[in-house]
């Protein structure tokens, strides 16, 4: 069950991306964090405790929301706009 439930931007342009190999859709204007948590119950697992994480500050300061693209590029999910065709991997090491 997704952690977030969309109450706004429901009619914005759909943006296709993949999350751990699964085809997903976000909406124009979503951050990567919003797009992921509208699909999943967690953003990633902590590299230290293996506990589920969903970001913390939501403003680019806490470093809790790192995810990786399948290309290996790391990005801060809370401050990165979702882009069409992003291939996001939450199961890889993001730290
Ligand atoms: S949630 Fe804190 S840096 Fe992204």
């Amino acid at each position: 069950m997704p952690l977030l439930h969309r109450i706004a931007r429901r009619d914005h342009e759909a943006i296709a991306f993949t999350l751990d190999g699964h085809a997903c859709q976000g909406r124009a204007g979503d951050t990567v964090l919003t797009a992921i948590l509208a699909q999943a119950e967690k953003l990633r697992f902590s590299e230290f405790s293996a506990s589920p994480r969903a970001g913390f500050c939501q403003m680019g300061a806490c470093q809790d929301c790192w995810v990786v693209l399948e290309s290996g590029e790391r990005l801060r999910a809370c401050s990165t706009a979702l882009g069409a065709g992003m291939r996001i991997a939450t199961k890889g090491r993001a730290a």
Side-chain angles (χ1 to χ4, degrees):
M1 175 180 283
L3 187 64
L4 299 181
H5 299 278
R6 190 175 297 280
I7 59 172
R9 278 193 235 136
R10 291 178 174 178
D11 58 348
H12 284 203
E13 176 189 356
I15 306 279
F17 68 103
T18 66
L19 181 60
D20 297 325
H22 299 285
C24 298
Q25 280 192 342
R27 294 289 174 186
D30 282 355
T31 62
V32 170
L33 182 72
T34 301
I36 291 174
L37 293 180
Q39 308 284 326
E41 63 184 4
K42 54 137 181 68
L43 180 66
R44 64 181 182 94
F45 289 102
S46 167
E47 61 274 29
F48 303 108
S49 66
S51 61
R53 306 301 305 165
F56 181 71
C57 73
Q58 315 295 310
M59 61 182 201
C62 76
Q63 315 292 316
D64 193 49
C65 66
W66 288 109
V67 295
V68 294
L69 300 181
E70 289 179 3
S71 64
E73 178 186 352
R74 293 174 69 213
L75 55 86
R76 228 181 251 150
C78 74
S79 57
T80 303
L82 180 67
M86 278 184 163
R87 301 183 63 81
I88 303 165
T90 66
K91 295 177 178 161
R93 182 175 169 81

